Amino acid sequence: RRSLDSASSQEDLHLDDGHPLLASLGALGAEFQKVLSAETEALGVAEVEKDLHEAPRSTSMLGRLQHDVYALRGPGPERRPRAAPPSARRAGSRSPRRKPAPENQLGFSFCADPSSSPEPSSSPERHVIETEDHSIELHSCHSPMREVEVLHDQILALLTDPDSSILPRDIVVMMPDVDGYAPFVEAVFDRDRDDERHVPYHVADRSIRQDAPVIEGLQRILALASGRMTASDVIDIVALDAVAGRFSIGPGDLETLTSWVVDSGIRWGIDAEHREKHGQPALHANTWRFGLDRLLLGYAMPGASQELYRDVLPFDHLEGRDAELVGRLAELCERLFDQVASLARPHTLDEWRGIIGDVLDTMLDSGPENAWQHQRVRQALSELGEAARTAKFHDPVHLDVVRELLDEQIDDSHPARGFLAGGVTFCAMVPMRAIPFRVVCLLGMNDGAFPRSHRPIDFDLISSRPSRLGDRSRRHDDRYLFLETLLSARERLLVTYTGQSIRDNQAVPPSVLITELVDVVADAFDPPGGAGADSEEQRSAAVRSHLTVHHPLQGFSRSYFDGERPRLFSYARSYLDGAASLKPVRQPSKPLFDGPLPPTDDQNSPVALADLTRFFENPAAHLLNRRVGIYLREEALDIPDREPIELDKLAEYGIGALIFEHRLEDIDPAVSLAVARAGGALPPGALGDCTHSDLDAKSRRIASVVRGYREGGRRENVLVNHTLPNGERITGELGGLWASGQLSYRYARLHAKHQLGMWVRHLVLNWVAPAGYTSSSIVVGRPPTSKKNAAVRCHVFSPVEDPAPLLIELMRIYRLGLRAPSLLVPDASRAYAERLRQRGDPDSALQASRGAWPDAIRFDNHVRRTFGASQPPFADVATVGPSFAELATTVFDPLLEHEQVFDA
C-alpha cells in the first residue's frame, strides 16, 4: 500500500524492496488484503483512515528484527526503503486512495503507513548483537526426545531467573506435529508438584484419536482397505488395544503371532486376486491366504518339510494350545478381509453408515469404557447422511471421500482442549494460535515438517487447475503462520529441531523457514563486539554461531556440567550423577565377569553328554545360559513386506538345508522345488527356479558324499551311562552310527565348533563302543571359505586307544567353565594350536589366533559380550581355568593328531 501511494507507475513497484521475510512469508496476507479490498470496494463499504498498529519498542535482537519488518527495512547496507520520486506528488495529481491496514491481534503491522512509523535510521550499518542477547535462539538436537529435554531446561532457566518475571502462563510452545511430540512432552514434563523440576503445562489441539483407541483403530482399518495388506500393516492392526481386546489377543501373544506370520511366508496381499488388483502377477505364494492355510494345516497334520496337501506345505511348529491362538488369528483375518472387500466398493453415504458401523461391531472392542467412541463415530456418520439428504446427494462415493469427511466431522465435534488452560501452553501451529506471548517456543521445526506438504486427493478438481487469488495453499498458510508467530513473540523466541543425525552425528538441515530466518538475521546483524571479522563469511558465521546451540547426543554429557560452554546446562540431577560417573577418555568395554561364580550344587552329579558337547561347541554361551540365565538373542524380528527377491545368507541356508535333506532322501528335484515354493521362501517365477538350481548344485555333492559314508547300513544307538576312573559319570545316547563309523553332516560351512563337538562324541564312542562298532567319526559339510559350489569338506577322526584320560581332562575343563569364562574359543583356539604345531612359534600362533578372532565374535553375541574388547590371550579376563594357550593345546592337540581333513 505504501508503494502504491508513492509510485508513479507499476514499473516503480519493486517486490525486492522492503523486508525479505515479508516477501518470502507474507503472500497469504497480501492475497487476503487484495480480496478484502476488492470485496469492500464492490460493496461500497467506507474505510476509516486510521492506523491502529504500534511499532515494536524492544531493543533486543528480536525487537530490532520485528521493527525492521514493521518499518520495511531490509537487511544489509541498503537498509532504507526506496524514496518516493518527486513526480509521484505532482500538484493537482490525485493520489490513490489509501486503505488502512486492518486491525489484528499482533499489535503492530507489517505494512504500516510511513507517516505513522518511526523514521528508519539513515545509517547503512547493521545492528550489533549484545553479548548477552539471546532473544532469538536455535537449539539443534539429535532426536525429538532430546528436543523436549532441552526445552524443559530452557523453560526452567527462564522461570528460575531472579531478574525475570516470566511465569508459566507467559510461555507458549507451538509444534507442527502435536500428536508426534505429545508423548515426549508428557514423558519429560509430567512430574509431581513437589518435584523441584515441576513445570505446570497443558497440551492443546491433540487429535481425538490419541484418547480414543476405537476411533484410532477404525481410521487405521479404513486406511488399510486401499493398501497392499502387508504383513507389518496387519500386525500393526492386531497390536491395537481395541482390536486385540475384541479378539482376546493378549500382549504376550503378539510376539508369537509375529513370528508365525514371518516364518509361514506371509508378505503382502490377501490372495492372488488381490495381488493382481495391485498390478502384480496373480500368485498365491506369500499372501495371507497362503500363510493362513499353512498355519491351520500345520496344526492339523505334520508336513515334515516334505509332504504337500493340495499344494500347501503344513507349518510344522504348531501344537497343543497353539490351536486357540491360531484360530483367533484366522478369525480376525477373515473378518478383516470381508470388511476390506466391502470397503473397496463405492457406496452412498447412507450405505456407508451401515458398512462402517459393521466395521465397528465386527473389528473393535465395544466395552463400557469404549462406548462413547462408538457413539461419536455413529453420530458423525448420521450427520454426514443427514447432510447428504439435505443436499439431495445420493450418488455413490469412494472410501477416500468418506474417510476425509468422517475425519473432519469427528475432529469438528472434538473441541480444542488445553489452550490457555494454565501453565505452559503446548499447542499446534494453526491459525488463531499466534497471539502475543512473552516467550514463544517452536518445537520440532525439522526439515520437511514445516511448512507442511499437502497431497491433494484424487477428486480435488481445484488442485488440477491454475490457482486463483484466494485459493487455499497449505504451504502459504504455514509460511504466513510462521511470520505471525515470529512477530507475536514479545521477549524470547526459542526454536528446537533435530539438526544432528542420531546415527553418525552428521548435520541435518532445519525447516527452510528457520534457514530463511537465520539468513536474514545474519545479514541484518553484526556479531557481539561489532563487525570485527576479517571477511563477510566470518562475520556471518559468527552471527549464526551466536544464534545456534548444538547439543550433545546424551543428556548426561559432561558438557552440560563442566561449565566450559555456558549455554549448555541441565537441571536434571540424574544426568549430573551420570556425567560424574563418566571418565574423560572413552574406555573399551570390559569383560562381563570380574571373578568366578560359586561352585554349582550338582558338582558331583552326572554330566549329560549333550551338555558336555554343547559346552565345547560354545563355552561362553553355555556359561551364560546355564549359570547366569542370559540368552543373547539376535536383533528384533523384522517383518518383511515383500516377497523374497534376493535371499540373505540365513534364508539361503534355510532353503539349502531343505534341499540337502531332500537329496539325502532321493526326492525328485521337481518335488523339491514344489516343496520349497510351498514354503514361501523362494523368489517367484524364473528367479526362484534359478535360485533352487544353484542351491541344489551345492547340496548334490554333499549328499553324494554322505550317502557314500552311509553305505553298509545303520547301527543301533548306544546308551551311555558310564563312570570315568576319577569318578565322573557321563550319561546320554550316541546316535548317527553307521557301518563306517559315527557320522555327522550338515549343509552349513564347517567351523571349529562342529569339529570339537564331534571330537567329544568321538572320545565317548571310543570309550563305550560295543564290539563290532567302527570307532571312527566323520564330519561332512561345506568348507568355511571355499567359493566352489561343489566343494565338500570332510573331517575324519581315527580311533583313540585310550580315550579315558582325555575325557577326564575335558570334564575338568567343563567343571571350571561353569564357574568363569573358559578361555577356549573354538575358532581362535584351533588357529593357535594348528600354527604352533606347524611352526613351533608361540608368537606366530598367537598372531594366527588373533586373525581368527573377528570371525569368532562376528556372529556370536555370547562370545562378544563375555570377552568384551579383549582378544587372545585374554590377559584381562577373570578365569579359574588354564590359560588360553594351555587350553588350546590341551584340547586341540589330541584332536589334530587323530584328524584327517580333505575335500571330496
Side-chain angles (χ1 to χ4, degrees):
R1 180 178 296 112
R2 186 182 309 168
S3 298
L4 284 172
D5 288 346
S6 60
S8 60
S9 64
Q10 291 191 359
E11 286 72 15
D12 292 328
L13 301 178
H14 296 278
L15 296 179
D16 57 348
D17 282 350
H19 201 278
L21 288 180
L22 285 178
S24 173
L25 308 177
L28 180 67
E31 291 184 2
F32 173 77
Q33 186 67 44
K34 291 177 182 178
V35 173
L36 180 62
S37 298
E39 291 297 324
T40 55
E41 187 171 353
L43 295 173
V45 177
E47 298 187 28
V48 180
E49 296 283 345
K50 184 178 181 181
D51 188 2
L52 301 178
H53 301 92
E54 297 179 1
R57 298 182 178 87
S58 173
T59 59
S60 68
M61 177 169 45
L62 176 62
R64 290 179 182 274
L65 178 65
Q66 292 172 342
H67 196 285
D68 284 351
V69 175
Y70 171 81
L72 299 178
R73 290 184 298 187
E78 299 179 359
R79 300 183 59 80
R80 296 191 64 172
R82 184 185 301 253
S87 60
R89 296 295 182 183
R90 295 192 306 268
S93 66
R94 180 180 179 183
S95 63
R97 182 178 60 175
R98 178 165 42 217
K99 301 179 177 65
E103 181 180 359
N104 60 31
Q105 74 273 23
L106 300 178
F108 51 89
S109 170
F110 347 112
C111 48
D113 188 336
S115 62
S116 63
S117 63
E119 179 66 21
S121 170
S122 60
S123 171
E125 295 181 356
R126 300 178 177 89
H127 302 302
V128 178
I129 303 174
E130 299 292 335
T131 303
E132 299 302 324
D133 186 352
H134 300 295
S135 54
I136 301 177
E137 199 167 62
L138 282 64
H139 296 270
S140 174
C141 306
H142 287 82
S143 66
M145 186 66 177
R146 290 292 297 128
E147 287 186 62
V148 180
E149 290 177 341
V150 168
L151 177 65
H152 186 250
D153 285 328
Q154 294 294 322
I155 291 177
L156 280 173
L158 293 172
L159 298 178
T160 57
D161 185 357
D163 298 329
S164 173
S165 60
I166 293 176
L167 300 175
R169 66 170 180 265
D170 300 325
I171 303 173
V172 65
V173 182
M174 305 179 71
M175 301 169 283
D177 182 11
V178 173
D179 293 337
Y181 274 80
F184 301 113
V185 172
E186 293 174 346
V188 174
F189 279 78
D190 268 354
R191 300 181 183 277
D192 296 333
R193 291 185 175 274
D194 55 353
D195 191 320
E196 60 184 356
R197 299 172 62 207
H198 169 70
V199 176
Y201 80 101
H202 286 86
V203 180
D205 304 323
R206 295 189 69 177
S207 171
I208 187 175
R209 70 185 67 182
Q210 299 297 317
D211 303 318
V214 169
I215 296 177
E216 166 71 6
L218 175 63
Q219 291 169 328
R220 297 274 289 275
I221 292 173
L222 296 182
L224 184 68
S226 57
R228 297 168 66 246
M229 204 67 64
T230 64
S232 60
D233 286 342
V234 176
I235 289 296
D236 288 344
I237 294 293
V238 177
L240 295 174
D241 292 340
V243 176
R246 176 67 179 80
F247 294 92
S248 302
I249 295 176
D253 298 332
L254 188 61
E255 183 177 356
T256 301
L257 291 176
T258 302
S259 65
W260 287 349
V261 167
V262 174
D263 295 342
S264 63
I266 298 173
R267 297 299 178 261
W268 72 276
I270 298 176
D271 49 26
E273 182 181 355
H274 186 249
R275 282 175 54 96
E276 191 174 26
K277 291 179 180 179
H278 286 269
Q280 298 297 315
L283 299 176
H284 181 62
N286 301 118
T287 63
W288 278 94
R289 297 284 187 198
F290 165 84
L292 291 174
D293 288 346
R294 290 197 63 201
L295 291 172
L296 295 172
L297 193 60
Y299 182 80
M301 59 183 293
S305 300
Q306 296 182 9
E307 300 295 332
L308 301 182
Y309 180 78
R310 293 191 175 181
D311 298 327
V312 177
L313 178 66
F315 185 74
D316 285 335
H317 305 288
L318 301 178
E319 58 184 12
R321 302 182 64 178
D322 291 339
E324 185 178 359
L325 184 57
V326 171
R328 292 198 292 267
L329 175 64
E331 180 188 9
L332 186 155
C333 291
E334 290 299 334
R335 293 189 179 185
L336 178 63
F337 300 157
D338 290 342
Q339 297 299 330
V340 167
S342 62
L343 292 171
R345 298 186 297 272
H347 302 278
T348 65
L349 286 176
D350 276 336
E351 293 172 341
W352 277 118
R353 177 182 177 183
I355 292 172
I356 296 179
D358 191 40
V359 175
L360 284 172
D361 296 335
T362 304
M363 298 299 302
L364 299 162
D365 188 21
S366 58
E369 67 279 3
N370 295 329
W372 69 271
Q373 302 170 52
H374 285 258
Q375 182 61 30
R376 177 70 61 82
V377 175
R378 296 183 188 279
Q379 180 182 353
L381 291 170
S382 298
E383 292 170 352
L384 289 177
E386 182 63 29
R389 286 190 294 272
T390 302
K392 298 181 180 180
F393 179 78
H394 305 292
D395 293 341
V397 294
H398 195 267
L399 175 62
D400 291 342
V401 180
V402 178
R403 285 180 55 202
E404 189 83 13
L405 294 173
L406 184 60
D407 288 349
E408 290 180 1
Q409 192 69 29
I410 292 176
D411 289 339
D412 290 344
S413 63
H414 181 63
R417 296 177 295 170
F419 188 68
L420 300 181
V424 176
T425 298
F426 288 82
C427 65
M429 293 192 72
V430 294
M432 305 306 294
R433 288 291 185 263
I435 62 177
F437 278 88
R438 295 180 66 181
V439 179
V440 173
C441 307
L442 301 180
L443 181 64
M445 296 297 289
N446 306 319
D447 184 30
F450 198 85
R452 288 162 286 207
S453 59
H454 174 65
R455 296 181 179 178
I457 51 183
D458 296 337
F459 58 86
D460 184 1
L461 300 181
I462 295 178
S463 63
S464 62
R465 299 177 180 179
S467 61
R468 300 174 58 186
L469 192 65
D471 283 352
R472 178 73 183 273
S473 170
R474 170 60 66 87
R475 296 190 70 82
H476 285 173
D477 288 353
D478 283 349
R479 284 180 167 273
Y480 192 74
L481 179 59
F482 180 74
L483 180 63
E484 288 186 323
T485 304
L486 173 64
L487 299 176
S488 66
R490 286 294 178 258
E491 299 179 19
R492 294 287 299 272
L493 176 68
L494 298 177
V495 180
T496 71
Y497 62 95
T498 302
Q500 296 148 256
S501 171
I502 200 171
R503 295 179 179 271
D504 54 15
N505 205 40
Q506 292 293 319
V508 178
S511 164
V512 64
L513 303 185
I514 302 301
T515 302
E516 292 179 16
L517 173 62
V518 173
D519 290 342
V520 170
V521 174
D523 289 340
F525 290 84
D526 280 333
D534 296 335
S535 65
E536 180 67 19
E537 291 76 11
Q538 292 178 349
R539 184 203 62 77
S540 177
V543 175
R544 297 172 190 272
S545 176
H546 180 82
L547 288 177
T548 307
V549 181
H550 295 275
H551 288 266
L553 173 62
Q554 303 292 356
F556 51 80
S557 169
R558 295 173 63 90
S559 301
Y560 284 108
F561 306 99
D562 58 15
E564 294 182 4
R565 297 171 60 188
R567 297 173 71 182
L568 290 181
F569 56 86
S570 176
Y571 288 83
R573 189 174 301 276
S574 59
Y575 284 165
L576 173 61
D577 296 337
S581 65
L582 294 176
K583 295 184 178 180
V585 180
R586 185 173 182 178
Q587 300 290 332
S589 59
K590 294 182 178 180
L592 183 63
F593 292 85
D594 57 4
L597 300 173
T600 59
D601 296 335
D602 57 350
Q603 193 71 16
N604 298 319
S605 61
V607 175
L609 176 58
D611 288 341
L612 187 64
T613 303
R614 277 196 293 266
F615 171 82
F616 280 97
E617 288 178 342
N618 194 333
H622 194 78
L623 172 64
L624 291 179
N625 297 164
R626 293 295 299 272
R627 291 301 312 276
V628 189
I630 295 178
Y631 295 83
L632 299 178
R633 299 180 180 179
E634 295 299 326
E635 298 178 358
L637 182 63
D638 184 32
I639 305 177
D641 285 336
R642 69 174 189 179
E643 59 271 31
I645 301 297
E646 183 178 0
L647 301 181
D648 57 26
K649 293 298 182 183
L650 185 60
E652 182 180 311
Y653 168 76
I655 301 176
L658 176 67
I659 298 173
F660 173 58
E661 293 295 332
H662 291 170
R663 278 290 182 178
L664 287 177
E665 300 298 327
D666 289 326
I667 295 177
D668 185 86
V671 176
S672 175
L673 175 61
V675 171
R677 287 200 178 281
L682 275 180
L687 185 58
D689 295 341
C690 294
T691 301
H692 184 274
S693 177
D694 290 343
L695 297 177
D696 184 62
K698 296 179 182 180
S699 304
R700 187 185 307 120
R701 181 59 181 165
I702 306 176
S704 175
V705 172
V706 170
R707 281 197 296 268
Y709 282 113
R710 288 166 59 168
E711 292 179 355
R714 188 161 191 163
R715 300 289 186 266
E716 292 184 1
N717 292 353
V718 175
L719 294 177
V720 180
N721 191 4
H722 295 68
T723 303
L724 290 166
N726 68 338
E728 289 278 13
R729 191 171 188 82
I730 301 177
T731 62
E733 185 176 17
L734 287 172
L737 303 177
W738 299 80
S740 60
Q742 185 176 208
L743 179 61
S744 173
Y745 48 85
R746 64 191 69 246
Y747 174 76
R749 297 186 181 276
L750 296 180
H751 295 280
K753 67 176 184 178
H754 303 123
Q755 302 139 27
L756 194 51
M758 175 56 87
W759 172 248
V760 173
R761 300 176 67 85
H762 177 67
L763 292 177
V764 174
L765 173 66
N766 281 261
W767 177 40
V768 302
Y773 278 72
T774 303
S775 298
S776 297
S777 298
I778 308 103
V779 182
V780 181
R782 294 161 57 205
T785 58
S786 175
K787 297 182 180 180
K788 298 179 180 179
N789 288 342
V792 181
R793 177 63 54 87
C794 299
H795 296 259
V796 179
F797 297 110
S798 60
V800 180
E801 294 184 2
D802 189 8
L806 297 177
L807 282 172
I808 291 174
E809 185 62 27
L810 294 184
M811 288 295 297
R812 183 180 73 87
I813 296 171
Y814 170 79
R815 295 292 187 185
L816 293 174
L818 292 179
R819 296 190 56 199
S822 173
L823 302 186
L824 177 71
V825 182
D827 285 313
S829 298
R830 176 171 180 130
Y832 181 92
E834 280 185 323
R835 181 67 63 84
L836 188 64
R837 287 172 64 88
Q838 293 170 358
R839 302 185 181 180
D841 181 7
D843 292 335
S844 177
L846 185 60
Q847 190 68 26
S849 68
R850 290 179 174 175
W853 180 244
D855 288 335
I857 65 173
R858 182 179 304 168
F859 304 110
D860 197 319
N861 291 333
H862 297 89
V863 175
R864 185 164 54 247
R865 185 66 187 90
T866 299
F867 293 100
S870 184
Q871 60 178 347
F874 309 112
D876 55 346
V877 177
T879 183
V880 294
S883 66
F884 171 77
E886 183 181 352
L887 266 177
T889 55
T890 299
V891 173
F892 277 99
D893 272 354
L895 182 152
L896 295 172
E897 184 178 345
H898 292 81
E899 181 190 50
Q900 181 184 3
V901 183
F902 59 91
D903 289 339

